[in-house]
Amino acid sequence: MSDQLSVMQSRQQAPMWLWPMLWGALLLISVMGMPYAEALFRWIEPNARQVIYTRAEFYVLLGRHLLVVGVAAAVTIVVGVLAGIAVTRERGHDFLPLVGQLASLGQTFPPVAVLALAVPVLGFGTLPIMVALMLYGLLPIVRNTLTGLQEVDADIKMASHAMGMTPTQTLRQVELPLAAPVILAGIRTSVTINIATAALGATMGASNLGDPIIAGIVNGNMAYVVQGALTIALLALTVDSLFELLQRKLRSRLSTS
Amino acid sequence: MSLLDALPTPRIRWEGQHPNVVLISLSLVMLCAFWTVDVVSLAPNRIVMGTGYGALEAFGWPGVVLITLLLSSIGLFACQPTLPHYRALLTVVVGLMALMPVGLIASGLLLIDPELPQARLGIGTAYWVVLFVLMLCLVEIRLRLNLTRLWPTLLLTGVALVWWLCAALWLDNLALVQEFRARDRQFLTAVGQHIRLVSIAVGVSVVLGLLLAMLMRRYARLQKGAFTLLNFLQTIPSLALFGLLLAPLAWLAAKVPFLAQLGVSGIGTTPALIALIAYSLLPMVRNTYIALEEVSPDTLEAAKGMGMRAGQRFWQVRLPLALPVLLEGVRITTVQAIGLTAVAALIGAGGLGTFIFQGLGQAAMDMVLLGALPILIMALVVDAGLGALAEALRPGGH
Amino acid sequence: MIELSHVSKRFDTEIAVDDISLRVPKGKFCALVGTSGCGKSTTLRMINRLIEHSGGEIILDGQAIEAYDPVKLRRRIGYVIQHTGLFPHWRVARNIGLVPRLLKWPAAEVQARVEELMGLLGLPVGEFGHKYPHQLSGGQAQRVGVARALAADPDILLMDEPFGALDPITREKLQDELAKLQARMQKTVLFVTHDMDEALKLADHLVVMRDGRIVQQGTPLALLQHPADPFVESLLGGLERGLKQAALTRVRDHMTSMGPTLPAQSRIPADFSLRQALSMMLRDHSDRLTVVDQHDVPIGELTLRRIIKEAQFDRGSSRE
């Protein structure tokens, strides 16, 4: 019985790994191979003087993009999850309604508008973009942390108290593991939005994978646009499929369904 | 009863009434921002970053004392939150919001040299922080007073009217106003374009979404494929999707003159609309599908048992019950489309995004604000409006 | 021993529990019965301090509960609730071993205890140990719930409608098993239920609650004989009260020695109830039964006349 189960699981795991590997490989190929694909892009833009974006290497752009999104994500995950935990504890309970409202309202703010409003306050460059991404990416994580923690069955929470678990033990051993899939979904939303929004940062003085697109649009060079767009799209798909994989793993480990 | 009154219940005595910590902290945040950060900035012309001025310089002693008193009164009222105190809090918060443009007029009079009428008054960080925190206070008070969304909406409309009046009559020096005066035609056109793009995209995706959702309910195979595809599309960053559409559409327009005559081109409205619709389909289809599926099978079974025909069941039972969730889908889609349309300005689709990106290009922050603020307001209004509609359509109002 | 004196609980303006006093001696089984919302669950939760009481005194083994650290207090009280509250992300064995692990028992001891309890509750370790709660039936899940509560061998067991969500057959089976377990382990049990039959079947001491107050308490038999008011009487089943009373009385206590006449056709084991005896008489159209011991050897007889005459059920025959 259990043997059968594990066989089935491993059979499911094979295609699970497939997508991130595939997208990741394509991303690598496009980043490393871009300088050698001149013939291909010449076909798109036969008359341009230059068809490969060379102001910066693509792997450098990718690295900067990942750095901005990564740092923003790391900060938002820590702050967001902690905030979500804080307002669902007894002491922070007063803040719960307001934070809940704010987090659900967060979806309403268009990312472009938030980014644009950040510039007058914070200025141009990578750091302001990072701060804007943090603020914006915080809300989905807080919202999902709240939802996840609040959705944990009241009976289960009561049982854990009644069995003599301390609040910290309840949080770490019961509430967080049960809320993890929902929290992870929030992180996924946040990171996906931030990858897209960071690209817009190219218009605000941050240098990343959005650069070739903006440069291409400004100079009317379609080849640049396609190079940038392709790389960002592949990056987004790679990261997203990694999250998908992570979520599946978590779900199969929790095996609640 | 008398016996119960005699019971020692010290723990519960303040349970309904302990100080509202939220409002107290918000009041402290506002006081800090007001005292430490720049309230306004003054620039000799459009491009130069202005010099910042603190509260004392901007408002003078009387103004600072008045505002400090008002801001601290929020914290003080919150220490003993009774019903009348919450009402007073509501008055103070709304009053402060309405006073904000008056403060700008005052600092204009105090700071601007009459010899230099070209000077532009910029709204400082403290202003934005206080405005944002006041909004939070309003939300908190609304939640504690159990008001519907209608009340704050009405109050905010009133506040907006005051702002508009002040801006139109007395705030000639405000940079935002000057920026608007310089291109009021362009602004209105951009708003029109923005609304048009959003409406077309949402309209088309509502129709397509309904059709697709109904087809999915019939053909289970289609369901999985379509959701996979739409999810895939949603994952691709907007800038990339707009970019990826440019090349093939430009090629199409060049090769097929008929399409070019129809207005198809690599740059402009066509790729913008295609991308907007592609993005709008996922939330629309998902919510429509869930809405239709979610209707309780018991209810439908009962309708069948009462002898309703399939058509009657759909139009009289399934659809009305699904409507609130469906509207929720329209709300999410529209709010998302408002934001994405701003990005579409990059590929020449027009709309309010134009101001944002032009302003960024010229380092003219007020122009950026002129684009970003209306987008934000539009999104909030649509969100509130459609949210209220969905709430009203829910049987029993819940 | 659990002792409540003049305990009350107020939520804001609402009074959930109003001046109740009761005592559960060590090793006894006390049932709190009442309609929903009468404060019986609140009473239970005040004992392990899931809810703090607002007046009166709750004394556990001679010490007021405020003197205990709440967390330590809860670890020494077993607690079973209706929807089990099992942790869905833990396997059965881990769920059962929760409290011993919290008490930092050595791993091997925890393992041994889990296996012992699973055996005791009819859940073979090999079959159930590695399962997740959602893979269990309602009855199995509640067995796990009971096992978890018993894991650290607490003296006191609080049970909040543990069998309320089960189908009648499973419920009855679990009640029987609980009765057997209790006979063996002699825990001090406070059991909340709205099912009077369940309470009558299991309890040594019955407490009827209504609107946060105790309406009546006593042995099951005492309540059946003298319900304090129409509410208690209706809870006890109104006209069926006679049968319920009969169900609490053993054949053994009312049989007479074999008469001069031939033994009756129908045989009944001595530890059956008078209710079962009556049913058998009705079925077999007979007014006499032969009472047998566990080896099916006749040891006496029971007549309808005797049952009806004894319907007063002398007070001495309560189960205490």
Side-chain angles (χ1 to χ4, degrees):
Chain A
M1 192 43 205
S2 65
D3 285 347
Q4 228 175 351
L5 210 81
S6 63
V7 168
M8 269 172 58
Q9 269 175 352
S10 68
R11 218 179 272 161
Q12 274 175 349
Q13 263 165 8
M16 261 162 66
W17 274 106
L18 190 69
W19 288 109
M21 299 255 276
L22 180 70
W23 294 126
L26 283 175
L27 177 66
L28 265 183
I29 291 171
S30 77
V31 166
M32 302 315 274
M34 204 64 90
Y36 311 106
E38 187 162 350
L40 185 68
F41 290 105
R42 177 62 66 192
W43 180 70
I44 293 179
E45 201 64 51
N47 305 320
R49 197 160 52 85
Q50 201 184 355
V51 289
I52 301 292
Y53 184 82
T54 49
R55 247 173 273 171
E57 296 287 347
F58 271 88
Y59 62 84
V60 175
L61 294 178
L62 176 67
R64 288 188 193 141
H65 208 110
L66 280 176
L67 184 75
V68 170
V69 175
V71 172
V75 174
T76 45
I77 290 168
V78 173
V79 177
V81 173
L82 284 182
I85 291 172
V87 297
T88 47
R89 300 305 101 184
E90 211 172 319
R91 277 196 194 160
H93 220 267
D94 286 340
F95 287 85
L96 180 59
L98 183 67
V99 172
Q101 281 275 316
L102 189 67
S104 63
L105 201 68
Q107 282 176 306
T108 312
F109 303 131
V112 197
V114 173
L115 210 56
L117 288 176
V119 176
V121 181
L122 302 165
F124 281 91
T126 305
L127 194 68
I129 303 286
M130 209 138 62
V131 174
L133 291 186
M134 281 173 201
L135 290 177
Y136 194 72
L138 203 57
L139 297 174
I141 297 179
V142 174
R143 187 193 61 216
N144 278 40
T145 308
L146 286 184
T147 318
L149 288 175
Q150 284 173 326
E151 263 175 6
V152 175
D153 192 352
D155 273 338
I156 292 172
K157 276 188 270 191
M158 188 180 62
S160 78
H161 281 301
M163 293 300 132
M165 289 178 108
T166 61
T168 324
Q169 283 170 331
T170 305
L171 177 70
R172 290 182 47 175
Q173 295 184 36
V174 181
E175 290 180 82
L176 281 180
L178 288 176
V182 187
I183 298 176
L184 189 62
I187 296 174
R188 182 180 178 176
T189 311
S190 163
V191 172
T192 308
I193 293 176
N194 276 356
I195 288 177
T197 314
L200 289 170
T203 58
M204 296 158 204
S207 163
N208 57 39
L209 284 176
D211 273 2
I213 303 183
I214 304 297
I217 289 171
V218 172
N219 304 327
N221 189 329
M222 284 302 152
Y224 287 2
V225 175
V226 173
Q227 286 155 25
L230 202 66
T231 326
I232 298 183
L234 286 174
L235 172 64
L237 290 169
T238 309
V239 173
D240 194 66
S241 58
L242 274 174
F243 272 111
E244 173 76 30
L245 180 76
L246 214 62
Q247 269 178 317
R248 288 235 182 122
K249 284 215 143 176
L250 202 61
R251 249 181 267 145
S252 73
R253 184 170 297 175
L254 280 178
S255 91
T256 47
S257 58
Chain B
M1 261 324 217
S2 58
L3 186 132
L4 280 174
D5 289 341
L7 281 177
T9 52
R11 261 175 302 224
I12 310 165
R13 216 169 125 207
W14 290 103
E15 223 163 59
Q17 282 212 1
H18 70 279
N20 187 322
V21 197
V22 182
L23 285 175
I24 295 175
S25 2
L26 290 180
S27 144
L28 286 176
V29 169
M30 285 192 284
L31 279 170
C32 271
F34 181 70
W35 275 96
T36 54
V37 191
D38 288 347
V39 174
V40 292
S41 67
L42 203 61
N45 60 47
R46 182 157 170 257
I47 308 299
V48 175
M49 277 278 196
T51 25
Y53 291 94
L56 264 180
E57 296 150 305
F59 298 145
W61 272 110
V64 170
V65 170
L66 175 71
I67 290 167
T68 308
L69 278 179
L70 280 174
L71 288 178
S72 1
S73 76
I74 293 178
L76 289 178
F77 278 129
C79 285
Q80 275 191 339
T82 55
L83 193 61
H85 279 186
Y86 271 123
R87 295 213 177 106
L89 277 167
L90 193 62
T91 322
V92 173
V93 168
V94 173
L96 267 168
M97 283 182 175
L99 265 180
M100 291 181 104
V102 181
L104 283 178
I105 296 172
S107 56
L109 291 175
L110 275 174
L111 290 174
I112 293 176
D113 190 348
E115 312 273 302
L116 282 171
Q118 286 304 312
R120 296 159 70 99
L121 192 66
I123 301 173
T125 312
Y127 246 93
W128 296 119
V129 173
V130 171
L131 183 63
F132 180 71
V133 178
L134 281 176
M135 293 277 193
L136 293 185
C137 291
L138 199 62
V139 174
E140 170 71 13
I141 296 169
R142 176 179 86 84
L143 291 170
R144 298 291 169 190
L145 279 177
N146 267 327
L147 297 174
T148 56
R149 277 173 183 229
L150 187 67
W151 267 100
T153 313
L154 280 180
L155 290 173
L156 283 180
T157 316
V159 171
L161 266 177
V162 174
W163 276 82
W164 182 76
L165 257 178
C166 292
L169 298 177
W170 298 294
L171 275 173
D172 294 334
N173 287 111
L174 195 67
L176 203 57
V177 175
Q178 288 186 351
E179 203 65 38
F180 171 72
R181 294 248 165 96
R183 44 180 71 77
D184 53 348
R185 280 275 169 73
Q186 255 177 298
F187 179 79
L188 291 178
T189 322
V191 172
Q193 277 172 336
H194 208 102
I195 292 176
R196 212 183 73 226
L197 279 171
V198 170
S199 328
I200 294 176
V202 172
V204 171
S205 60
V206 166
V207 175
L208 276 181
L210 252 174
L211 284 176
L212 207 57
M214 292 215 265
L215 280 176
M216 281 170 158
R217 284 169 29 78
R218 186 155 299 172
Y219 307 104
R221 252 223 208 125
L222 178 71
Q223 183 211 324
K224 206 168 173 240
F227 271 131
T228 312
L229 179 70
L230 291 176
N231 267 317
F232 175 80
L233 280 174
Q234 194 84 16
T235 311
I236 298 176
S238 52
L239 191 60
L241 190 58
F242 283 125
L244 285 175
L245 282 170
L246 284 183
L249 283 172
W251 182 79
L252 260 184
K255 298 282 163 177
V256 191
F258 170 70
L259 284 177
Q261 274 171 8
L262 275 181
V264 173
S265 69
I267 283 263
T269 323
T270 323
L273 274 179
I274 293 178
L276 284 178
I277 292 168
Y279 281 123
S280 301
L281 272 178
L282 178 69
M284 203 52 230
V285 172
R286 191 171 45 200
N287 269 57
T288 314
Y289 184 78
I290 292 173
L292 292 176
E293 284 293 290
E294 234 180 19
V295 176
S296 136
D298 291 346
T299 314
L300 290 169
E301 195 67 26
K304 206 174 188 175
M306 298 293 153
M308 289 176 101
R309 268 178 270 115
Q312 290 173 318
R313 288 203 301 271
F314 184 84
W315 291 107
Q316 295 181 30
V317 182
R318 202 187 271 271
L319 199 61
L321 284 175
L323 210 53
V325 184
L326 219 151
L327 259 177
E328 181 71 9
V330 177
R331 183 180 68 87
I332 297 170
T333 309
T334 315
V335 167
Q336 185 191 280
I338 290 172
L340 287 173
T341 303
V343 182
L346 276 175
I347 54 164
L352 285 164
T354 323
F355 289 113
I356 297 183
F357 295 116
Q358 266 185 29
L360 287 171
Q362 302 170 6
M365 286 310 125
D366 300 310
M367 196 165 168
V368 175
L369 285 184
L370 195 64
L373 284 180
I375 290 175
L376 196 60
I377 293 168
M378 232 190 259
L380 288 172
V381 168
V382 165
D383 183 68
L386 286 178
L389 192 62
E391 222 167 88
L393 279 176
R394 220 168 265 266
H398 219 27
Chain C
M1 187 175 84
I2 309 171
E3 203 172 349
L4 278 67
S5 59
H6 304 288
V7 170
S8 50
K9 174 66 194 174
R10 272 211 276 188
F11 293 108
D12 275 341
T13 53
E14 192 193 341
I15 301 123
V17 172
D18 186 3
D19 189 29
I20 67 170
S21 301
L22 64 89
R23 207 172 136 255
V24 190
K26 195 168 169 54
K28 291 293 173 190
F29 193 120
C30 169
L32 281 175
V33 195
T35 45
S36 52
C38 71
K40 53 192 195 301
S41 291
T42 309
T43 306
L44 202 67
R45 284 176 206 177
M46 286 191 295
I47 293 168
N48 61 1
R49 294 183 69 180
L50 285 177
I51 297 175
E52 299 286 350
H53 60 290
S54 30
E57 246 190 339
I58 302 177
I59 294 167
L60 229 60
D61 296 336
Q63 210 176 357
I65 55 167
E66 287 92 338
Y68 295 92
D69 171 62
V71 167
K72 286 191 186 128
L73 177 78
R74 289 177 199 137
R75 287 179 188 172
R76 44 177 287 186
I77 299 180
Y79 188 60
V80 185
I81 56 175
Q82 183 174 4
H83 297 290
T84 71
L86 294 177
F87 300 160
H89 56 305
W90 287 5
R91 295 172 196 273
V92 165
R94 191 166 174 203
N95 263 297
I96 296 177
L98 169 64
V99 184
R101 269 200 318 278
L102 288 175
L103 292 170
K104 305 221 158 55
W105 289 18
E109 254 176 71
V110 176
Q111 180 66 24
R113 179 65 180 159
V114 168
E115 277 169 21
E116 181 193 347
L117 278 166
M118 289 184 76
L120 202 61
L121 283 148
L123 299 162
V125 182
E127 190 181 340
F128 291 99
H130 63 273
K131 281 195 174 176
Y132 284 101
H134 70 98
Q135 295 168 311
L136 303 176
S137 71
Q140 290 162 349
Q142 198 51 278
R143 282 164 203 262
V144 177
V146 174
R148 177 177 67 175
L150 291 172
D153 203 15
D155 297 327
I156 295 167
L157 197 55
L158 305 177
M159 306 181 88
D160 194 351
E161 301 203 26
F163 309 139
L166 304 175
D167 64 89
I169 293 170
T170 316
R171 191 186 311 164
E172 202 157 317
K173 211 168 153 206
L174 278 173
Q175 287 165 358
D176 292 339
E177 284 180 33
L178 180 64
K180 266 188 228 153
L181 272 177
Q182 171 62 6
R184 229 175 97 177
M185 299 193 296
Q186 300 283 314
K187 302 281 180 201
T188 309
V189 185
L190 196 54
F191 185 101
V192 160
T193 178
H194 60 256
D195 179 352
M196 184 54 96
D197 287 322
E198 187 170 76
L200 287 171
K201 184 170 173 182
L202 294 169
D204 303 311
H205 187 81
L206 242 168
V207 180
V208 179
M209 285 186 70
R210 185 190 195 181
D211 298 335
R213 288 166 192 264
I214 291 179
V215 189
Q216 190 180 10
Q217 56 179 316
T219 61
L221 220 47
L223 258 72
L224 279 166
Q225 283 164 344
H226 306 286
D229 63 5
F231 172 72
V232 178
E233 192 172 351
S234 76
L235 268 186
L236 286 165
L239 284 176
E240 299 221 11
R241 196 144 59 86
L243 281 176
K244 295 197 173 180
Q245 210 169 328
L248 289 181
T249 319
R250 303 280 133 214
V251 168
R252 184 189 311 281
D253 299 333
H254 292 279
M255 65 179 189
T256 49
S257 54
M258 298 284 267
T261 47
L262 283 171
Q265 293 282 312
S266 313
R267 295 166 161 236
I268 186 165
D271 55 351
F272 272 35
S273 70
L274 285 190
R275 184 186 167 124
Q276 283 161 316
L278 276 169
S279 171
M280 212 176 258
M281 287 174 180
L282 280 171
R283 187 190 69 189
D284 299 345
H285 308 288
S286 132
D287 60 357
R288 242 162 22 110
L289 298 172
T290 302
V291 181
V292 293
D293 64 9
Q294 59 263 56
H295 306 297
D296 210 26
V297 177
I299 52 170
E301 75 171 359
L302 183 69
T303 62
L304 184 60
R305 262 190 61 184
R306 172 95 185 153
I307 296 178
I308 293 169
K309 235 175 103 185
E310 295 294 324
Q312 281 297 326
F313 300 115
D314 39 306
R315 287 167 201 194
S317 73
S318 81
R319 287 198 294 163
E320 257 190 293

